Amino acid sequence: MKLAVYPGSFDPVTNGHLDIVKRGAQVFDHVVVAVLHNAQKKPLFSVEERKELIRQSTQGMTNVEVDSFDGLLIDYVHGLNANVIIRGLRAVSDFEYELQFASMMRKLDPEVETLFMMTNNQYSFLSSGIVKEVASGGGDVKGLVPEVVEKAMSEKYRR
């Protein structure tokens, strides 16, 4: 079975992320969307909230699973016996960081491949940070995030 891991903070998950998940699920037998717990960041949503939002957003994708991890990604990948890491690219500006990331993964384990997938052009400008900035200012994020995320963000920023 070809198992791929799609790691990220997903704070929040956007339609750009989901584009990568859907397309990854067409290429691989099983995709694990792995939410990173990064204690250095101050997320809008807890890890459990992010996992639940992703689960709700990927309902019906029978070969997609949602999980979380902390520590080194390569250790998590090894624990799953996966051999592919999916990384999404929006624009050329993402490439330098992602090249460094993939090179480090290759150094840590040459048997694990990093696969870059370009997001749909309609989401090439989209990031979780931009979505949070717009939503925190009362702007409309409809069409940028799944409806369940839109509602959850509305509740968070109402407080």
Side-chain angles (χ1 to χ4, degrees), residues 25 56 76-77 113 123:
Q56 290 180 36
Y76 178 75
V77 169
E113 291 292 338
Y123 305 124

Side-chain angles (χ1 to χ4, degrees), residues 98-124:
E98 294 298 342
L99 177 62
Q100 291 173 339
F101 175 92
S103 296
M104 181 53 72
M105 292 300 108
R106 166 91 39 204
K107 171 89 172 114
L108 294 172
D109 186 343
E111 300 299 313
V112 175
E113 291 292 338
T114 301
L115 174 72
F116 297 115
M117 296 185 84
M118 294 298 300
T119 191
N120 187 307
N121 284 343
Q122 75 185 69
Y123 305 124
S124 63

Side-chain angles (χ1 to χ4, degrees), residues 44-155:
L44 177 62
F45 295 103
S46 71
V47 169
E48 287 307 314
E49 288 172 320
R50 286 180 269 163
K51 286 169 55 178
E52 184 55 29
L53 290 169
I54 297 167
R55 277 189 197 103
Q56 290 180 36
S57 300
T58 58
Q59 277 183 333
M61 295 184 208
T62 57
N63 63 335
V64 174
E65 175 185 346
V66 182
D67 195 12
S68 62
F69 73 101
D70 54 18
L72 289 178
L73 173 61
I74 200 70
D75 293 338
Y76 178 75
V77 169
H78 287 157
L80 293 176
N81 292 318
N83 57 356
V84 176
I85 298 169
I86 298 173
R87 299 295 288 181
L89 292 174
R90 294 170 294 189
V92 173
S93 57
D94 287 342
F95 186 75
E96 187 173 351
Y97 171 80
E98 294 298 342
L99 177 62
Q100 291 173 339
F101 175 92
S103 296
M104 181 53 72
M105 292 300 108
R106 166 91 39 204
K107 171 89 172 114
L108 294 172
D109 186 343
E111 300 299 313
V112 175
E113 291 292 338
T114 301
L115 174 72
F116 297 115
M117 296 185 84
M118 294 298 300
T119 191
N120 187 307
N121 284 343
Q122 75 185 69
Y123 305 124
S124 63
F125 67 93
L126 192 54
S127 71
S128 295
I130 287 176
V131 167
K132 286 188 285 194
E133 190 172 328
V134 170
S136 71
D140 184 9
V141 295
K142 188 178 188 111
L144 305 178
V145 295
E147 191 174 311
V148 65
V149 174
E150 184 182 351
K151 289 176 184 174
M153 290 183 80
S154 177
E155 289 175 20

